[in-house]
Amino acid sequence: MSSVVRGARARARIEVTAAIKEEARRQLASDGAAKLSLRAVARELGMVSSALYRYFPSRDDLLTALIIDAYDSLGETAEAAHAAVADAAPVERWVTVGEAVRGWALAHPQEYALIYGSPVPGYSAPQTTVPAAARVGLLLIGIVRDAHRSHALEVPLLTDELVPEAVRLAADLAPDLPPGAVTALVAAWAQLYGLVGFELFGQFNRVVEEREPFFRHAVTRLAQGVGLR
Amino acid sequence: MSSVVRGARARARIEVTAAIKEEARRQLASDGAAKLSLRAVARELGMVSSALYRYFPSRDDLLTALIIDAYDSLGETAEAAHAAVADAAPVERWVTVGEAVRGWALAHPQEYALIYGSPVPGYSAPQTTVPAAARVGLLLIGIVRDAHRSHALEVPLLTDELVPEAVRLAADLAPDLPPGAVTALVAAWAQLYGLVGFELFGQFNRVVEEREPFFRHAVTRLAQGVGLR
DNA sequence: GGAAAGTGTGAGCACTGCTCTCGCTTGATC
DNA sequence: GATCAAGCGAGAGCAGTGCTCACACTTTCC
């Protein structure tokens, strides 16, 4: 992809594409993914609906673009929050990332639902979304790796029944970490999203009163379970 | 509500209602909640679409009925699995319930997405669903309570910052359990669904290879974190 | 038996995603 | 600099959706 914008037409295309995504994001935030309507977006932008298909070949493609943006926005938020405490103790770094994820989710519920709730049924996220989706995971791996390198990681034990190969990530992204740590890390990663999802989707209504301290407590224990101290 | 079916008309109504739900469930399972169409259900049943509104005043009401059924089906499955190991050690009972939830989710992905994924956007589950939704939670509470009564529960510690009142459940459903146990229980409950959701919605693709032993291991550690032995 | 309530019919409204043809404008090529 | 293809917007149109309403018919209740 060339970074040089060749002419007025190319520049206009970029602007219109951005405007469409912006308006779509607005409608997504206010009404949810199911009610996101191409026609309504076009109407709001003062163009006819068929013109919009010059920019996104289908509704699903527009949604995919929004999903990637959402992953990036979440990843950026988490990375920024983490950067502010990069030199702190591992547990604090972990908790900070967890709280950043929760904060972003509460601020962008529909976008969170789009990426971590049930994927819009009948639609499976294409491969393009993978790199953007991995950002928070990589952040967590980095924290555990740092702890391990400075011998501050208490490696969790593996049950007998669990073969180390169960978590493929070990061989791919974190070959330097012991299997027990990777396993615990992946599980904690998923569990973090369980906590956020339950709060966001109302499962904690009439159950958990003080959400924020509860989350901080739970996510701290999650960090300890991974072996961070 | 009278349990006596008064006449042919009342009996027919029950049958038609059941047939609608059955066909709707079929379409839900095959195409997902978003593509569930009243007209298609009616078509399949050989009736005109407007007739269906005599039974369910709106699409959302039909969805609500399916949600309640799904909660009940999940609860029933979990309870049945638990009953088979009711006399076993607390950890085994816990793991059995967890595996039952996972098994049901894998067998009914769309229904699981309907109740634990993002709720269908623009639609918030009415109060009617609450009792059905609580069944698995009550099961888990029962396991912890039994362990506590037989002095087999290692009560988890609470961090200073977390006030015991944070988890309101303590005062309502399990006043006999210590706050630390209730807090850990609620967190573990949410985390269980994080594990199931990540597997179901593809987040473990290219990450976790051997799903079943991984899940068993993670959910066992979850039980231990609650204090079960 | 007659009034009232319940049930199915078909037309119709407003909306959706998407396609296709038509012209206009832009921009690269000869 | 003229030419010609590619990019773009407009508008009509198709098939589908949720939902409403007036109408007829049937069952139930008084």
Side-chain angles (χ1 to χ4, degrees), chain A residues 20-203:
Chain A
I20 292 173
K21 286 206 290 187
E22 197 177 330
E23 176 59 31
R25 202 156 19 234
R26 266 198 41 218
Q27 296 193 12
L28 171 64
S30 75
D31 296 329
K35 291 191 177 170
L36 173 61
S37 152
L38 284 190
R39 291 182 111 111
V41 170
R43 210 179 300 131
E44 209 67 27
L45 260 49
M47 51 169 70
V48 86
S49 71
S50 57
L52 212 145
Y53 285 82
R54 301 281 183 197
Y55 300 87
F56 296 93
S58 80
R59 186 179 178 278
D60 278 358
D61 288 273
L62 177 54
L63 268 182
T64 301
L66 294 183
I67 287 178
I68 294 175
D69 285 2
Y71 272 125
D72 273 330
S73 168
L74 170 58
E76 219 168 290
T77 301
E79 283 164 13
H82 176 260
V85 294
D87 297 325
V91 173
E92 189 180 339
R93 291 167 64 191
W94 175 284
V95 172
T96 299
V97 171
E99 287 183 320
V101 171
R102 173 177 176 267
W104 188 91
L106 294 178
H108 309 87
Q110 297 287 1
E111 281 164 88
Y112 185 89
L114 192 59
I115 58 183
Y116 284 112
S118 49
V120 176
Y123 159 84
S124 72
Q127 211 62 12
T128 350
T129 65
V130 171
R135 289 175 69 165
V136 172
L138 291 177
L139 216 48
L140 297 179
I141 291 177
I143 295 171
V144 174
R145 178 179 289 127
D146 286 353
H148 184 242
R149 281 193 186 148
S150 57
H151 307 285
L153 184 70
E154 196 170 301
V155 179
L157 294 178
L158 277 181
T159 328
D160 299 341
E161 59 185 341
L162 187 68
V163 288
E165 296 79 31
V167 181
R168 195 206 250 203
L169 200 67
D172 289 6
L173 289 176
D176 51 330
L177 292 179
V182 179
T183 306
L185 171 57
V186 172
W189 173 57
Q191 290 167 26
L192 165 64
Y193 287 89
L195 289 168
V196 173
F198 259 37
E199 175 174 352
L200 198 62
F201 299 147
Q203 231 76 27

